Amino acid sequence: MTSAVRRLAINTGGGDAPGLNAVIHGAVYAARGLGWQIFGIRDGYDGLLEPQNYPDGGLIELRRSTVRDISHVGGTILGTTNRGNPFCRPTKQPDGTMKEVDRSDELIERFRQNRLDALIAAGGDGSLSIAHQLHNKGLCVVGVPKTIDNDLESTTFTFGFSTAVEFATECIDRLHSTALSHQRVIVVEVMGRYAGWIALHSGLAGRADAILIPEIPYQIEKVAAHLCRKRREGKPYSIVVVAEGAKPLGGDVTVRSREVGRAERLGGIGETVAAELQNLTGKECRCVVLGHLLRGGSPTAIDRILGLTFGAAAVYALSKGMDGVMVAVNPPRIDFVPIQEAIAKLKLVPPDSEFVLVSRALDITFGDAG
Ligand code: F6P
């Protein structure tokens, strides 16, 4: 099938992830190579919906020279927002209260007015759900899987995950020596939302004593007993990696805040776990929350390669007439899967996955009976 695309847009809505600029670089080089024009939308969809707020008009023409030196830089040159869902945009009412308003028709009209034939949407499950809804309204869309959480179905890896795991591992490595010096328990809370991929991979790489993930509800007594047994056997300090979405058996996730127009913010479970372990083990405990540090910094080589590949592959998909698909990487293949499939459910850690089994073999507990 030949493509009718001549002018396309790219946006980077939702939480940023290292590798976004590499996606932009890859898409721009590939699109310009086909003689297409490509434009970056500022701050998710804000650049199209509120152009008056931008000195540059909210829509920037991207040339190879614009993006030549960005693929190794963290963040996104286009900016982003977590509050820009065009289907339920938080909008201030005359009485000062906030209300969610559907501005999707207006957005589709802006694409038409700007003669944009297609959109490359770099997003996690939230941003890709929006892209899918826009596709259902007639917009030609190709998605690329962005999130440090690695929780998107149909792709083995999302970009951003590798960088987050590398940095979390480096932090855990650094904590070993101070934990040993003080013979403390150090609890490290990492992001990941409802999935435990970052905790599992960094905990394994960083040789933690316990890894607590949402997919395997923990019993704090079992974690404490495990740490005490390892102390008796000669290891005088402990490292516990906790996913922000971890929850006790029969309990729920710890929510930091809820706001109109955005997903609930998780966080705080690390402090709870540290306090309970101090109580149960009698050992001094400290909690370190890595938070947004995992989203910052220069992308790893893997995330650069993924980003560049996803950007170029998204243009390839459009050139072949594909629509409503997400680029996926399932080594050694690059696949094009329906966005609908990728967002149907979160990709969670299978409790019997190889990495969980390997961790158990290395005397790492998940705080369960296993
Ligand atoms: O989805 C990526 C992520 O970093 C999650 O791991 C985390 O829960 C969330 O975004 C934080 O979002 P915000 O930047 O809005 O605090």
Side-chain angles (χ1 to χ4, degrees):
M1 199 191 294
T2 51
S3 162
V5 175
R6 292 293 173 270
R7 282 165 64 93
L8 78 147
I10 181 166
N11 77 342
T12 57
D16 68 338
L20 271 173
N21 284 327
V23 172
I24 297 168
H25 180 110
V28 171
Y29 267 69
R32 300 296 298 188
L34 294 174
W36 296 356
Q37 280 183 291
I38 176 164
F39 298 83
I41 309 173
R42 300 286 307 276
D43 300 338
Y45 297 98
D46 285 11
L48 278 183
L49 282 174
E50 317 286 354
Q52 71 285 358
N53 293 344
Y54 295 89
D56 57 19
L59 194 63
I60 320 161
E61 177 151 18
L62 301 171
R63 301 176 195 279
R64 285 184 169 177
S65 57
T66 327
V67 301
R68 186 173 295 132
D69 300 317
I70 63 168
S71 58
H72 63 294
V73 179
T76 160
I77 59 162
L78 298 177
T80 185
T81 172
N82 269 350
R83 306 176 58 108
N85 186 342
F87 290 87
C88 47
R89 246 178 110 77
T91 307
K92 202 165 193 171
Q93 301 302 295
D95 65 359
T97 57
M98 297 298 278
K99 192 175 155 208
E100 294 183 350
V101 176
D102 182 353
R103 293 181 62 187
S104 56
D105 287 338
E106 195 183 330
L107 179 63
I108 296 281
E109 180 56 20
R110 293 284 163 85
F111 273 94
R112 204 192 56 73
Q113 285 166 355
N114 285 288
R115 294 181 294 113
L116 296 168
D117 307 314
L119 169 71
I120 295 176
D125 62 322
S127 307
L128 287 179
S129 300
I130 296 168
H132 180 60
Q133 285 175 274
L134 292 173
H135 164 70
N136 287 344
K137 285 192 156 222
L139 190 68
C140 176
V141 177
V142 170
V144 301
K146 169 221 67 174
T147 168
I148 64 165
D149 305 337
N150 201 36
D151 59 357
L152 273 170
E153 271 295 337
S154 311
T155 186
T156 307
F157 296 111
T158 58
F159 68 86
F161 175 63
S162 160
T163 309
V165 169
E166 278 296 327
F167 186 71
T169 303
E170 186 188 329
C171 293
I172 296 166
D173 284 349
R174 284 168 180 253
L175 291 167
H176 278 264
S177 58
T178 175
L180 171 60
S181 303
H182 290 263
Q183 306 203 343
R184 282 174 170 160
V185 176
I186 297 198
V187 176
V188 187
E189 181 183 306
V190 296
M191 282 186 168
R193 224 185 268 283
Y194 308 107
W197 295 106
I198 297 175
L200 176 61
H201 283 240
S202 62
L204 182 52
R207 296 150 295 123
D209 300 289
I211 302 174
L212 307 183
I213 59 175
E215 296 85 348
I216 306 178
Y218 65 86
Q219 290 170 266
I220 199 69
E221 296 78 9
K222 290 205 187 302
V223 181
H226 182 84
L227 303 187
C228 290
R229 198 253 304 147
K230 287 185 92 168
R231 287 212 181 215
R232 284 196 304 278
E233 290 173 2
K235 187 174 182 210
Y237 73 97
S238 321
I239 303 284
V240 177
V241 177
V242 184
E244 63 179 356
K247 52 191 178 218
L249 189 65
D252 216 340
V253 291
T254 305
V255 176
R256 191 181 290 285
S257 66
R258 290 193 175 88
E259 281 173 47
V260 175
R262 55 172 299 163
E264 63 185 9
R265 287 181 63 206
L266 303 184
I269 185 67
E271 284 293 353
T272 305
V273 166
E276 289 176 342
L277 286 179
Q278 181 154 311
N279 199 20
L280 288 167
T281 63
K283 302 296 172 194
E284 207 173 25
C285 295
R286 292 287 186 271
C287 172
V288 178
V289 180
L290 297 183
H292 292 84
L293 289 168
L294 300 186
R295 294 228 305 252
S298 185
T300 58
I302 288 178
D303 280 337
R304 291 179 206 186
I305 292 167
L306 285 178
L308 294 167
T309 304
F310 285 146
V315 170
Y316 170 83
L318 290 170
S319 76
K320 295 294 173 196
M322 290 186 229
D323 183 8
V325 297
M326 181 190 83
V327 187
V329 61
N330 295 304
R333 293 188 325 273
I334 299 293
D335 294 328
F336 300 95
V337 299
I339 295 180
Q340 190 163 18
E341 201 176 279
I343 58 172
K345 62 180 170 60
L346 289 179
K347 182 183 72 185
L348 301 176
V349 176
D352 60 351
S353 77
E354 283 79 358
F355 289 130
V356 171
L357 299 181
V358 167
S359 303
R360 292 192 196 281
L362 299 181
D363 205 16
I364 298 172
T365 185
F366 289 83
D368 61 338

